[in-house]
Amino acid sequence: MLGNIPQHHCEPKVEEVFGVAVNTPQRRRWSQRTEQTIIGYLCLLPTFAYAAVFLVFPVIFSLVLSFRRWPMFGPKKFVGWENYIRIFQDDLFWLGLKNAGRYTIAFVPLSIITSLFVALLLNTKIRGINFYRTGYFIPTITSAVAVAVVWTFLFDTNYGLVNDWLTRLGFERVGWLSDPKVAMWSIVFFSIWRGLGYNVVIYLAALQGVPVQLYEAAKIDGAGWWAQFRYITLPMVSPTTFFMFIMGIIGSIQVFEQIFIMTGGGPMRSTYVVFMYMYDYAFRYNEMGYAAAVGYIMAVLIFILTLINMKVTGKSVHYDQA
Amino acid sequence: MRKNSVAVRKVVGKLVTHLILMIGLVIMIIPFLWMVTTSLKEIWEVFTPQMQWLPETPIWQNYVDAWNYAPFGRYYLNTAFVSISVVVLQLTICSLAAFALSRLEFPGRDIIFYGILGTMMLPGTIMLVPSYLVLHWLGWIDTYWALIIPAVFNAFGIFLLRQFFMTIPKDLDDAAIIDGCSRFGVLWRMIIPLSKPALAAIGLMTFMGQWNSFMWPLIVTNSENMRTITVGISMFKDQFSNMWTLMMAASTTATIPLLILFFFSQRFFIEGITLTGMKG
């Protein structure tokens, strides 16, 4: 029984008592360490295998691919910078980038403001608060595809519920998804609607972490609700805002699913985004090398944007959690 | 007098809060109600200028029809099988990795840990094409392997579990080992049972992500038999673009399992999001 006691427990005591490591069973200590090493690497084996096949190899191979003409079937060959040059000369690529940019600029700030606003309301002590919280959360857990189909129906120009209500109120019908000027806004609205519950939960957690004493002190000093919001709440949740800002931009540049379902990039390519461009080249035209090059360009763009964010926006983040 | 006006302002404030929240709630919930009622309408009731909320008589046949037009039963089974497999495999892989990274001491451990964290920075745009090619070479396109295996790794899950495991006192390990427990026994009999809340939160988020995942199944499946429910709905929409009643029936069936799951495990969902939201 006693022989099983792990050595690292006994060892310090032995040294304390005798001043030197007397009678330390070197062999046992060594085997302890070897055992941990073997078991440790064994436990990490699935992770390593996955990382090698699905993370490390793809990253490197993608770069190789981007300098080649690589149809799924047929001859493949090295073409140098040709893919990149073709991409930068393609108006459709720039249109995709522009549309993704439009989406990002509209979605990220609106989504953050709406989430914070709703979270503030849901952070009050009123009756039925759990009921509200559950309700606001529901769109987030449902399948984006299913609810995108539902919203396509709601946004239908002739038979959609939204236009039905508008006409009852005496307004003109709007081509929510069929008018090139409006379609992107409808997509943005949908994305906010779907993501709201998730963001609200995160903001609620942040709001509940703000020490109550700060508000009490501010009240004594005569601060109104706006001053409290501006000088306490906003700075205290700024790490969360910053997190959402960065993640929002990264996600928005790659927006795809809701657009694929709701408009397919139309009408008149007004919602055609850059991820769709990559998808089309990879899985419709089977130009894997070209698509890989688009992927790399997008990744570099995301990386640069994130760096700028860290530098510029990161400064105004208040990390001192009282 | 002053006391009164403060009280009045409080009541008014609460009423306004209720009002705004109610309007918001309507926007959040109405699409689902409209989805369900439309799924029970006759098709002409959809294409009428005088829209009604409720169908004259509920047409349950829509559900039967939708399931007959496309093999939604099969989609369902595929989605459930893939989602559950991914959750089980992912939790296993994450637990093993987190165990090694939190309880054992061996050379290179911390470098490996930071390496795993670093993979979270890899942008999906780079991975899409080469991952597809890897699956193609493995001959996995249009098989369950392609749907399951690429999703079994979760760097953030490893990170969360490692943090959670570290809160369990290490003395417990030693005690267990003295009592003749093996290293894996420590993980399986002690750490896993103690980490149930964390595992549940991660598992639920993964399940939800898998059930709802769309782009990957869209890319790696070709045949009808392998489609998941999201891909099925998308294809259904392309084929029957104006059959709103059937489409709403299909959407309802895709949505309900998650809603049920959510109502039974709301706490873990919220925990899961709060955990993943702290990524920054």
Side-chain angles (χ1 to χ4, degrees), chain A residues 22-77:
Chain A
V22 183
N23 200 17
T24 308
Q26 277 294 334
R27 201 191 52 78
R28 285 202 55 90
R29 226 175 103 200
W30 181 82
S31 74
Q32 257 279 335
R33 199 168 165 74
T34 315
E35 186 215 357
Q36 294 205 16
T37 309
I38 291 172
I39 293 181
Y41 279 94
L42 218 56
C43 287
L44 287 164
L45 202 60
T47 304
F48 286 150
Y50 180 94
V53 179
F54 290 105
L55 297 172
V56 177
F57 173 75
V59 169
I60 299 164
F61 184 62
S62 196
L63 195 62
V64 175
L65 210 54
S66 72
F67 291 104
R68 277 162 194 270
R69 180 168 301 143
W70 191 292
M72 271 309 277
F73 307 99
K76 293 130 170 105
K77 71 166 191 195

Side-chain angles (χ1 to χ4, degrees), chain B residues 84-95 148-149 152-153:
Chain B
I84 291 169
S85 308
V86 168
V87 169
V88 171
L89 287 171
Q90 198 187 87
L91 287 182
T92 311
I93 292 175
C94 286
S95 306
I148 296 170
I149 300 300
V152 297
F153 174 77

Side-chain angles (χ1 to χ4, degrees), chain B residues 152-228:
Chain B
V152 297
F153 174 77
N154 178 353
F156 192 60
I158 294 177
F159 169 74
L160 283 180
L161 278 181
R162 175 183 173 269
Q163 303 303 95
F164 199 92
F165 287 178
M166 291 203 311
T167 62
I168 302 170
K170 242 182 172 175
D171 295 347
L172 288 177
D173 293 29
D174 299 334
I177 287 173
I178 291 170
D179 288 347
C181 199
S182 71
R183 289 267 171 202
F184 286 107
V186 170
L187 172 65
W188 179 246
R189 287 167 201 277
M190 196 189 82
I191 295 178
I192 297 286
L194 284 174
S195 308
K196 269 183 194 156
L199 289 167
I202 297 171
L204 263 173
M205 294 306 283
T206 301
F207 185 86
M208 186 176 81
Q210 278 305 305
W211 187 279
N212 293 336
S213 101
F214 172 62
M215 192 178 63
W216 191 250
L218 175 74
I219 291 168
V220 299
T221 59
N222 303 318
S223 63
E224 199 156 71
N225 275 339
M226 292 311 300
R227 274 178 204 154
T228 59

